[in-house]
Amino acid sequence: MTDVAADPENAAELRDQVVDTLIRDGVIVSPQVEAAMRRVPRHRFTPEATVEEAYRPYAAVVTKKNEHGISISSVSAPQIQAMMLEQAAIEPGMRVLEIGSGGYNAALIAELVGDSGQVTTVDIDQDVTARAERLLAENGYPQVRVVLADAEDGLAAHAPYDRIIVTAGAWDIPPAWITQLTERGRLVVPLRLRGLTRSIAFERRGGHLLGLSARACGFVPMQGAGAHQEQLLLLCGTDEIGLRFDDGLPGDPSLLDNTVRTPRLEVWTGVVVGRTELVDTLQLYLATALPGFCIMAVDPALDTGLVEPNHPSFSLAAVDGGNFAYLRVRPTADDRSVEYGIHAFGPQREAFAEKMAGHVRTWAREHRGGPGPQIRVFPARTPDEQLPGHLVLDKKHSRVTFSWPSATAADQAVPPASSEGDDHR
């Protein structure tokens, strides 16, 4: 490491405060990750930000924007980086591939693998790799290999890897990310699942992946061959209400043309949760249980009150033919809890509202407080009869399966993936 004498006086103090906060919040749980994050000077890898901005525990630092002002590269929040490193369980001597460069995270990985390990970081953007290479060399990590490439095919030259960590939002898992792992090696990837993103730690088991843990997160999307655009459906032919579909539009979108102009039905489920209760599994449950699942967003500047979401930019929703519904909450009398409800539109709105409400009740009865689904990934060619799980999401390269164990199940042959989050949407 380089001399720290020129660092701002409060840099080390701010760095320790971040680590202390993440330990208190249960994000950092291992002494190895703690030591790495106390040692690597994050502010030196984020020259675009002030020292105070660099050490905000739950905030990313944007390092590059496109011509529309949209972030296309960033140094992730310390909380996200610590979370994914804990999921990866990196040990000294390991060979690690990072897909998506920034410099700081590669330095943390270098601390974890030690002198006997190897770290390769790859990015598709020459500006990003040049920046990462410069910052790593300036701050005492010249041993980290920086490569300019599209990582859709991994990086065979330095494989196999004990760990692959992806730091961009991926819609799919290319075959190379599996075949370039050692047996029982881990892939940690922010995987998009019907509009929801989860950082999932997978372990290689032969030709498929077994999910070990899942955590809510958000990342800039993958570029290059692995890029995938969600599709937007505008209701009523205006920009007021948009539905985002991650796996293709419904069969006949025209059936929804005037749905939100039908009378709105309100149904309350009787499912009450505390304002601080972790309910992230509800998002995944609805995404896997409802075939027409999507995300609704309302433009505040154009809002005419046709819908009343709790979160204008992100509401869980679903469609079925000419019917449309979204999840809503209302406070209880003591204002310490909220109750889930449904707003539904369309010719069969009563039946559709009850269907969606039934899924919320099933989650509350069978999966609330549970570990979340067991997630596995198989090659795209895998026949249906060889797939476990209650739901299969088909992607270009892979088939992702979900199995939902009961929250009260005493024995699980394989530990399900856990989830975190407290967003009542």
Side-chain angles (χ1 to χ4, degrees):
M1 302 258 323
T2 51
D3 184 12
V4 298
D7 281 350
E9 292 182 4
N10 61 342
E13 179 183 355
L14 290 171
R15 184 159 61 252
D16 283 340
Q17 287 177 2
V18 168
V19 175
D20 292 342
T21 296
L22 297 180
I23 291 173
R24 182 199 66 204
D25 293 349
V27 179
I28 295 177
V29 296
S30 69
Q32 295 86 355
V33 173
E34 176 188 351
M37 295 198 74
R38 288 195 191 279
R39 183 170 182 181
V40 181
R42 177 179 168 90
H43 64 284
R44 294 194 188 179
F45 290 89
T46 56
E48 301 85 354
T50 66
V51 175
E52 289 76 15
E53 290 169 340
Y55 290 110
R56 291 173 181 170
Y58 291 90
V61 174
V62 175
T63 57
K64 185 176 182 179
K65 296 181 179 181
N66 65 15
E67 66 274 17
H68 305 294
I70 299 173
S71 172
I72 57 174
S73 186
S74 67
V75 176
S76 297
Q79 173 259 338
I80 291 291
Q81 291 170 313
M83 178 188 76
M84 294 182 74
L85 292 176
E86 292 286 5
Q87 287 183 292
I90 297 168
E91 298 176 4
M94 284 187 168
R95 185 176 296 183
V96 181
L97 173 65
E98 179 193 38
I99 297 176
S101 296
Y104 174 64
N105 199 55
L108 293 172
I109 296 171
E111 292 285 346
L112 292 170
V113 302
D115 294 339
S116 59
Q118 296 183 28
V119 181
T120 302
T121 181
V122 57
D123 201 281
I124 196 172
D125 189 322
Q126 187 171 14
D127 291 341
V128 173
T129 55
R131 177 186 180 280
E133 192 166 29
R134 174 178 58 82
L135 292 173
L136 285 162
E138 289 176 356
N139 291 289
Y141 299 94
Q143 75 275 26
V144 175
R145 185 185 294 113
V146 181
V147 178
L148 174 65
D150 187 330
E152 175 80 354
D153 295 322
L155 204 62
H158 308 292
Y161 304 101
D162 300 292
R163 301 289 188 265
I164 297 177
I165 301 177
V166 182
T167 61
W171 181 78
D172 200 359
I173 296 181
W177 295 4
I178 301 176
T179 60
Q180 291 177 17
L181 271 179
T182 59
E183 182 66 15
R184 299 300 176 103
R186 287 193 185 187
L187 166 68
V188 180
V189 55
L191 187 61
R192 278 166 51 189
L193 305 166
R194 287 192 165 167
L196 307 176
T197 302
R198 298 293 182 266
S199 173
I200 306 177
F202 289 107
E203 184 176 88
R204 181 180 178 181
R205 299 286 181 91
H208 77 280
L209 298 174
L210 173 69
L212 303 177
S213 65
R215 304 285 186 264
C217 63
F219 274 85
V220 296
M222 187 74 64
Q223 300 179 52
H228 178 83
Q229 295 295 322
E230 62 187 5
Q231 293 179 273
L232 180 66
L233 175 62
L234 298 176
L235 298 183
C236 294
T238 73
D239 293 336
E240 177 185 351
I241 305 168
L243 305 181
R244 305 199 307 268
F245 293 86
D246 212 32
D247 299 288
L249 294 175
D252 187 357
S254 66
L255 294 174
L256 294 163
D257 283 350
N258 295 299
T259 295
V260 292
R261 300 198 185 279
T262 64
R264 184 172 69 198
L265 176 69
E266 188 174 84
V267 172
W268 294 97
T269 65
V271 175
V272 175
V273 300
R275 289 189 178 274
T276 60
E277 181 178 345
L278 299 178
V279 295
D280 186 55
T281 55
L282 175 60
Q283 293 182 345
L284 271 181
Y285 187 73
L286 291 180
T288 57
L290 291 167
F293 181 85
C294 57
I295 304 298
M296 180 180 76
V298 179
D299 187 337
L302 302 174
D303 188 5
T304 63
L306 286 172
V307 293
E308 295 181 349
N310 293 96
H311 297 264
S313 62
F314 187 98
S315 294
L316 306 184
V319 301
D320 182 12
N323 303 291
F324 160 66
Y326 62 91
L327 194 67
R328 204 173 186 281
V329 297
R330 65 180 178 185
T332 55
D334 60 9
D335 203 36
R336 292 186 296 180
S337 304
V338 294
E339 180 186 3
Y340 284 112
I342 311 296
H343 280 184
F345 304 81
Q348 291 86 39
R349 55 188 173 276
E350 294 87 355
F352 192 47
E354 283 301 327
K355 178 181 179 180
M356 194 167 177
H359 285 304
V360 175
R361 296 180 186 117
T362 298
W363 166 82
R365 183 176 62 252
E366 299 181 10
H367 307 296
R368 181 178 182 176
Q374 175 65 69
I375 305 173
R376 295 178 174 88
V377 175
F378 294 84
R381 64 182 181 276
T382 307
D384 288 349
E385 59 270 19
Q386 295 180 17
L387 296 177
H390 305 128
L391 175 87
V392 178
L393 287 186
D394 284 312
K395 299 176 179 284
K396 178 181 178 181
H397 299 298
S398 63
R399 309 191 76 187
V400 185
T401 70
F402 300 82
S403 301
W404 281 89
S406 169
T408 58
D411 275 330
Q412 297 295 332
V414 181
S418 60
S419 299
E420 293 181 350
D422 58 357
D423 197 343
H424 304 116
R425 290 187 279 195

